[in-house]
Amino acid sequence: MEQMYYNMTIAGCERALPLCPLTDELMIGAFVIFGDPELTTACSEALLAKVPAYDYMITAEAKGIPLIHEMARLAGNQKYMLARKGPKLYMRDILDVTVHSITTAKEQHLYLDGADAALMRGKRILIVDDVVSLGDSMRALEQLVEAAGGIVCGRATILAEGDAAKRDDLVYLERLPLFTKDGKALD
């Protein structure tokens, strides 16, 4: 079968997203900012203009890393937090939550270093991700923030996929539809 694409403009950048099967009847548009500094910078600038005031940002490993890094750089080289998919040797007093994502076949965990958790206590935390679909990864990040004693002040993403675009607690740049197996966008 020939690869199908969905063309869209995101933060002024035109991109063709490859359509990938999620089930036998449903496809998603694959959005990856790795290796695309033009898109990463444009999206970071556009999101920063829309988000509420915050003290720190957090994202989950891995696709949100270029976005949050560029947002932090543009905002004055601010420190940000990263929820890792596996504990690292340097991490102490680790916080751990379980996450299920539609793009990952099995249960995963997100881990937060206790030093980062201590910095988050009582602070306004902006949760950042590249794409929000069902919101499971974002909920896991919310659980980490709350376990650390932080206050979720906002949720920001580049693309809101499917019903995520209906959320009133989510700042996003563009809506990404789901697709039929024939590549037709579902509204």
Side-chain angles (χ1 to χ4, degrees):
M1 180 177 186
E2 186 175 320
Q3 179 67 59
M4 293 182 277
Y5 294 89
Y6 179 68
N7 296 311
M8 66 184 305
T9 302
I10 310 159
C13 300
E14 292 185 25
R15 295 296 185 269
L17 307 185
L19 299 183
C20 303
L22 188 61
T23 67
D24 289 340
E25 299 297 319
L26 192 64
M27 297 202 313
I28 59 172
F31 178 73
V32 179
I33 60 175
F34 286 134
D36 194 337
E38 176 191 33
L39 182 61
T40 302
T41 299
C43 291
S44 298
E45 290 171 343
L47 275 176
L48 281 172
K50 296 177 82 169
V51 299
Y54 61 90
D55 296 305
Y56 295 108
M57 295 182 288
I58 187 171
T59 196
E61 193 173 38
K63 288 179 17 183
I65 295 173
L67 175 65
I68 199 170
H69 183 85
E70 183 64 6
M71 288 174 72
R73 188 190 71 77
L74 290 171
N77 291 319
Q78 297 176 335
K79 177 172 177 53
Y80 59 88
M81 282 55 169
L82 177 60
R84 307 295 302 256
K85 289 183 179 175
K88 302 300 177 185
L89 293 176
Y90 65 84
M91 297 170 80
R92 298 285 180 262
D93 304 318
I94 298 171
L95 299 180
D96 170 15
V97 297
T98 303
V99 63
H100 302 274
S101 172
I102 66 168
T103 57
T104 306
K106 61 181 182 168
E107 176 181 285
Q108 291 184 314
H109 288 260
L110 290 179
Y111 302 91
L112 182 65
D113 188 355
D116 286 342
L119 288 173
M120 293 169 61
R121 191 169 299 115
K123 301 294 186 186
R124 299 168 299 174
I125 310 299
L126 176 66
I127 297 174
V128 176
D129 207 348
D130 63 328
V131 179
V132 173
S133 298
L134 299 175
D136 293 334
S137 297
M138 194 158 278
R139 272 190 292 285
L141 287 169
E142 290 171 12
Q143 291 172 4
L144 280 176
V145 170
E146 291 166 3
I151 303 153
V152 175
C153 68
R155 296 153 192 85
T157 186
I158 298 171
L159 301 177
E161 188 172 52
D163 286 344
K166 297 175 185 173
R167 291 178 57 165
D168 60 1
D169 67 336
L170 186 64
V171 172
Y172 65 92
L173 300 181
E174 299 294 336
R175 179 184 175 275
L176 178 61
L178 297 171
F179 302 88
T180 66
K181 65 181 177 183
D182 301 323
K184 181 182 176 205
L186 298 170
D187 291 322

